[in-house]
Amino acid sequence: MRGRSVSPVFVGREEELAALAESFQEARKGAVTAVLVGGEAGVGKTRLLQRFAEQCAAGGAHVLFGGCVELSTEGLAYAPFTAALRQLVREQGPAAVAALLPEGAERDLARLLPEFGEPTGDGETDTGRARLFEQFLTLLERLAEQRPTILVIEDIHWADRSSRDLIAFLSRNLGAPQVLIVMTYRSDDLHRQHPLRPVLAELGRVHGVLRLDLPRLSRDEVAQQMTAILGKTPEYTKIEKVYERSEGIPLFVEAMLESGEECTFPDSMQDLILGSVERLPDETQRVLRVAAAGGLRVGHALLAAVSGLSDIELETALRPAIAGNVLQIADNRAYVFRHSLIREAVHDELLPGEHQRLHARFAQEISKDRRLVPPGRAAVELAHHWYGARNDHWALISAWEAAQKSFKAFAYTEAVPLLERVLMLWDRVPDAAELIGADHTAVLERASEAANAGGDVEKGIKFVKAALSQLDEIEEPARVAELIVRRTAFKNAKNQAGIIDDLRHALRLVPEPSTSRTEVVTTLSRHLMLRGHIEEAGELIEEGLLLSRRFGDRCLEADLLMNLALGHSLNGDMDTTIRINEQALEIGREEQSGRLITRAIGNTIDALIDMGREDDALRMSEAGWRTAKKYGRIRGSGLFIMNNWAESLETLGRWDEAIESVETALNLGPGLRNRYALLRVRADIAMARGELQLVEAILSELGVLKDRPEEFVQDITNNARLHMSWHMTKGEPEHALAVAERVLAWPKQSSKPMLGWRLLAMMRTVCDAAETTAPDRTAALRAQAAELAAGLSVIGPVAEAYRLTYSGDFDAAAAAWERLHRPHNQAKSLLRAATAAARSGDREGAATRLKTALPLARALRATPLVAEIEALSRRVGGLQEEPSELLTPRELEVLRLVTQGRTNRDIAAELFISAKTVSVHVSNILAKLGVTTRGEAAAAAHRLSLLSS
C-alpha cells in the first residue's frame, strides 16, 4: 500500500515557525510558559511542531512528546503526560528520573507508569492530584535546569478532564526559565459545549501563555506543496482544481495528489469530512442536503423557499449544524459550509432523482426572484442549477446568458466552461442557434476570445481550430482572417514558428480597406517589429493608423500606437516610447478595454527599466498587477507585467523577492514565451549565486545549450548572453568565446541600445578572460564588437553604464551602477577596477574598491562573486572582516516595522512583499545584529541608532 504523499519541502509556515522560535527564546528567560497552536484538521499543526522540535533539538533542547487519544468523550486519563514520562524513562531510566524529584515523590508518578513502583494509596483524591501536579511541575523545572526543555502535547481537544486540569495548572505555575509547553488543538472541533473552550478562555488570561492560529495555505503555497510532492511544476488547471477543492488544507492537498491524475478525494478521507455531519439530527441532515445543492454559500431566503420551511423551522433545523461548525453564518443572512469538501460530500449523498429535483427547485426560485442570490450572480447560478436539473433547453440558454455576463465582468476564466457547456448541449437542443441568436461557429469564436483573454492557450487553440474547420475562406474571408490572427496569439504564447507566414496569408484574404484588414495589419506589424523588420513594420503601422481612424476603431488605433512605441523602444528613444504608450493607455481607459490598459502598462514598465527608473517601474508593476486582476487578465498581460516586476527587483538586488515573483507567475501556468522570459530572470539570479545545477536545467529548457533558434531579436540576444555567462561561470572562457563568435555572425543584431551594450559588456568580459589562450580569436572578436558598438546609440543611464563597462572604464561604470542602485553590477565593476589597479601596482586602491564591493556581494549571496573578491583581497592584503554588516535599505525598512511590533504578515502587506520574504529578511537581520529574537533586534536597533534617520 502506498504511503501518504507528503511534501519534502516545508511550505508556507515561516512566520508561524519564527513565532514559535521566538516564544522559545522568551521561555528561556522565563517570560513565556506555553503556546497554544490552533487550526483545522489537516492544516499542518503536527508538521509545524515536528519542524520546530527538530530545530530546537538540533540546538540542544530536550523535546518531550505527548498526545491525547480519541477514545471517548473523556479520553484516556493523563495520556499525554504518560507518553512524555515514558519517553523520559526510556531515555534516562527510572532511577535517573526519580533522582530529579524529592525523596519518595516518584511514587506519585507511579500512577502514570509502573516503573516507579507502587503508587500512593490516596488515589485520585484532591490531595493525590495536587501532589501529582506538583511533582510533574518539579520534574519539568529540574529538567530545564540541565538544558532547555520543551513539552509538546498534541490534540488537546481530545484531552480528558484530568489532563485538562494538569495543563491549566502547569500553564499557570511554570515560572522557571528554559521550559516551554506547546499544545495543539483542532479549532473546528470546538463546538459551543466543548469542554476545552473554558480551559482556553482561562489560559487566555494567564500571563506568559500565547495563542497561535495556523491559517490555511494560500494558492501559491499550495502550488509550492504540489511541486515539492510531484517533483515538477504542475499544470495551472491542476493547481486550480486542487486549491479550489482543498481550500488550502495541506492534508487534503496530499490526499488528492495521492489519488492520481483526477485529483479526486479518496474514500479513506470521507470519515474525516462526514463525521461531524453524521452526528447531527436527521432533520438537520435533510436540510443540509438541500443547502448542498445550493452551493458552498446559500442565502437564508433562498434556502427557505427551496426547502419549504418557515424562517423559524429553518433556523431550528440549522442550529445544530452551526453549533457543530458544519455551517457558518456569513453576511447578508447567508450560510456557508465550513469547507467545500463537506458540501461536496453531502451533495454526493443525494439520490439521482433528489439531485435533479433540488437543482430544478433552486433554478425555479431564482428565476422568479433574482434578488435571492448576490448581485450579478443570478445568470451563473441559473446556468449551474438548470444543468444540475438535466434541463438541456434552459441549461443551454442560461449558460450562454451567463457567459455574456462573465465577459462584461471580465470573468473570462468563468466564461470558458460556460461556453463549453453550450457547445456540449448544442446537438441535444433543437433550434439552438435561434434560441441564443448565434451559430455554432460564433460560439467557438466567443470561446476562443475568452480563452485568449484568460490566457488558456490549449483550449484557445482547440476552439480556433474547430471554428476554422467550419468556415470557407472564399465565402467568409474576413471571419477566417480574424481567426487566423487569434491563432497566431496562441502560437506566439507556445513559442511556435510560422506566425509571419500565417499573418501574411490573413492579409491577402482582406485586400480591401476594412476593420478586418486593420486587425491583421496591427498584429503583423507588431510581430515584424519584434523580429527586427522595423522598416516594413513602420509602413504597416502607418497604413493601420489611417484605417483605424477612418473606421473609428479606437482600440485598434491604440494597439498600433503601442506598436509604434515598440519601434521607438528598439531604437532607444524611451521618452517617446513612454509618451506614445501613455496615449494608448488613455484610449484604453476611455474605451474601458482591460486588454489595452494592461498591455500599455506592461510596455511602459519595460521602458522604465531600460531607463533605470526601477522605483517607478516597481510602483507601476504593483498597480499593473492589481489592474490585470481587475480585468481578468492575470494569465495574459498580467504575466508580462509580473515578468517586468521580477526584472525590476532583480536589477535592484532584491533577488529573493524577484524569485518569489517568478515562482508566483510560473504557478499560473504561463504560455511558453512568458515562461521562458520568467526563467531567464531566474537564471540570471541562479547564475550570480552559483546555483549551477538550476542554471543548467533552465538553460536546457530554454534550448540555450543547443542553440535552439529563436525569432525575436530580444530573445536571441538574451539567450546568447546567458550562454556566455554560463560558460564563464564554469571557467570555460573559450567556449564562451565560441558563443560570442556565433552571435556576431548572425545577420540581425538588436538595435535596442540597452540590450546591445549589455551584450557587448559581456563580450568584453569573455575577451578579457580568453585573451591569453586564444589571442587571435579574441582580437578578431574585439574588432567585430567595435563595429557593432559604432552603430549603437547611447540613450539613457543604463545603456551608458553598460557602454562604460564595455569600454573598460570600470570605475566610472561602478559609479554609474551605484547611481542606478544596481548592487550586483556595481560590485562586479568594482572587482574589475580593483583587478586593474592591482595589476598596475596600486594595492591600496584595489583594497579600497574591494572593501566596498564585498558587502554588496555578500548581501546578495552572490557566492562566486564573493569568492573572487575575497581571493583578490587576500592577494592585495585588504581582507579585514568587519564585526557585522550594514543592513540593506530593505532590511532597515523591515527592522523599522519589527521595532513597531508588527507581524510578518503586517510587514508583508505594508511593503507589498510576501510573509516568506519578510521571514528571510528578519532572519538576515537577526544574524547580522547577532541577536536571536525580534525584541533583541529592536533593542539593538535603538542601541546602535540604526533607525535614527
Side-chain angles (χ1 to χ4, degrees), residues 538-554:
E539 293 171 359
L540 285 170
I541 291 170
E542 187 176 347
E543 177 192 351
L545 284 171
L546 289 172
L547 290 174
S548 64
R549 288 162 181 163
R550 173 180 169 183
F551 295 110
D553 195 318
R554 296 278 282 159

Side-chain angles (χ1 to χ4, degrees), residues 484-495:
I484 290 174
V485 168
R486 188 163 297 151
R487 185 176 66 187
T488 61
F490 296 125
K491 292 179 76 171
N492 180 57
K494 289 176 69 70
N495 205 31

Side-chain angles (χ1 to χ4, degrees), residues 707 716-724 736-750 759-760 763 781 784 788:
D707 286 329
I716 293 170
T717 304
N718 283 328
N719 282 359
R721 178 182 54 76
L722 283 170
H723 202 174
M724 284 186 277
L737 187 64
V739 175
E741 290 167 340
R742 291 196 297 274
V743 171
L744 292 181
W746 291 334
K748 278 196 175 295
Q749 301 293 337
S750 175
L759 183 68
L760 287 173
M763 289 183 178
L781 186 67
Q784 286 180 281
L788 177 59

Side-chain angles (χ1 to χ4, degrees), residues 427-627:
D427 292 333
R428 299 186 200 171
V429 181
D431 304 322
E434 288 73 17
L435 287 172
I436 67 171
D439 62 18
H440 191 265
T441 307
V443 178
L444 286 166
E445 289 171 320
R446 194 68 163 155
S448 72
E449 183 182 351
N452 186 34
D456 196 336
V457 176
E458 298 303 328
K459 285 186 178 179
I461 290 173
K462 293 176 183 176
F463 294 142
V464 169
K465 184 178 180 181
L468 284 171
S469 71
Q470 297 177 8
L471 296 175
D472 187 323
E473 66 179 38
I474 296 175
E475 294 181 3
E476 298 182 272
R479 205 170 174 185
V480 171
E482 289 173 10
L483 280 168
I484 290 174
V485 168
R486 188 163 297 151
R487 185 176 66 187
T488 61
F490 296 125
K491 292 179 76 171
N492 180 57
K494 289 176 69 70
N495 205 31
Q496 292 179 346
I499 290 175
I500 297 295
D501 290 340
D502 284 355
L503 290 171
R504 292 195 191 282
H505 174 62
L507 195 63
R508 288 193 293 271
L509 292 175
V510 283
E512 299 301 321
S514 64
T515 301
S516 296
R517 180 175 176 84
T518 312
E519 186 176 345
V520 179
V521 163
T522 301
T523 306
L524 178 57
S525 63
R526 181 168 63 88
H527 280 279
L528 288 170
M529 194 73 77
L530 288 167
R531 287 161 176 78
H533 305 291
I534 297 175
E535 187 175 342
E536 182 183 359
E539 293 171 359
L540 285 170
I541 291 170
E542 187 176 347
E543 177 192 351
L545 284 171
L546 289 172
L547 290 174
S548 64
R549 288 162 181 163
R550 173 180 169 183
F551 295 110
D553 195 318
R554 296 278 282 159
C555 290
L556 285 176
E557 179 186 354
D559 271 319
L560 287 156
L561 285 172
M562 284 187 276
N563 293 353
L564 183 64
L566 176 61
H568 287 292
S569 172
L570 293 173
N571 288 324
D573 187 354
M574 294 302 164
D575 289 326
T576 304
T577 297
I578 291 176
R579 178 174 55 79
I580 296 175
N581 276 331
E582 286 173 349
Q583 293 177 28
L585 179 59
E586 187 58 34
I587 293 174
R589 287 172 175 155
E590 291 171 2
E591 297 296 315
Q592 295 185 327
S593 169
R595 181 183 62 80
L596 290 176
I597 291 170
T598 51
R599 184 188 170 196
I601 289 173
N603 289 352
T604 302
I605 296 167
D606 189 59
L608 290 170
I609 294 171
D610 286 351
M611 295 176 73
R613 292 169 55 185
E614 271 79 13
D615 288 339
D616 292 334
L618 286 177
R619 281 191 290 271
M620 183 168 277
S621 295
E622 291 167 6
W625 181 246
R626 290 193 294 270
T627 302

Side-chain angles (χ1 to χ4, degrees), residues 27-171:
R28 297 182 73 167
K29 305 172 188 174
V32 173
T33 58
V35 180
L36 294 159
V37 181
E40 298 171 82
V43 82
K45 301 181 293 297
T46 297
R47 186 79 187 274
L48 172 67
L49 261 61
Q50 285 173 345
R51 177 57 63 94
F52 171 63
E54 288 168 3
Q55 291 185 353
C56 293
H62 189 187
V63 184
L64 299 172
F65 293 93
C68 301
V69 183
E70 185 186 24
L71 291 180
S72 66
T73 55
E74 268 305 310
L76 184 65
Y78 298 115
F81 300 98
T82 301
L85 194 57
R86 184 177 290 114
Q87 175 191 335
L88 188 61
V89 169
R90 190 167 55 246
E91 291 172 351
Q92 300 185 7
V97 175
L100 296 171
L101 299 170
E103 186 176 351
E106 71 273 10
R107 291 183 61 199
D108 290 314
L109 298 182
R111 276 182 285 158
L112 304 184
L113 280 184
E115 286 88 337
F116 292 107
E118 285 295 321
T120 55
D122 48 7
E124 190 65 13
T125 64
D126 288 345
T127 303
R129 276 165 50 89
R131 279 208 313 274
L132 174 63
F133 287 15
E134 286 290 348
Q135 303 312 345
F136 216 95
L137 174 64
T138 301
L139 180 62
L140 287 176
E141 290 177 340
R142 294 286 175 83
L143 286 170
E145 290 173 2
Q146 298 175 353
R147 56 173 168 155
T149 299
I150 299 171
L151 173 60
V152 174
I153 305 177
E154 292 206 74
D155 300 321
I156 62 171
H157 53 278
W158 288 331
D160 63 287
R161 169 70 181 273
S162 298
S163 294
R164 293 195 300 269
D165 290 345
L166 181 48
I167 286 169
F169 174 82
L170 293 174
S171 300

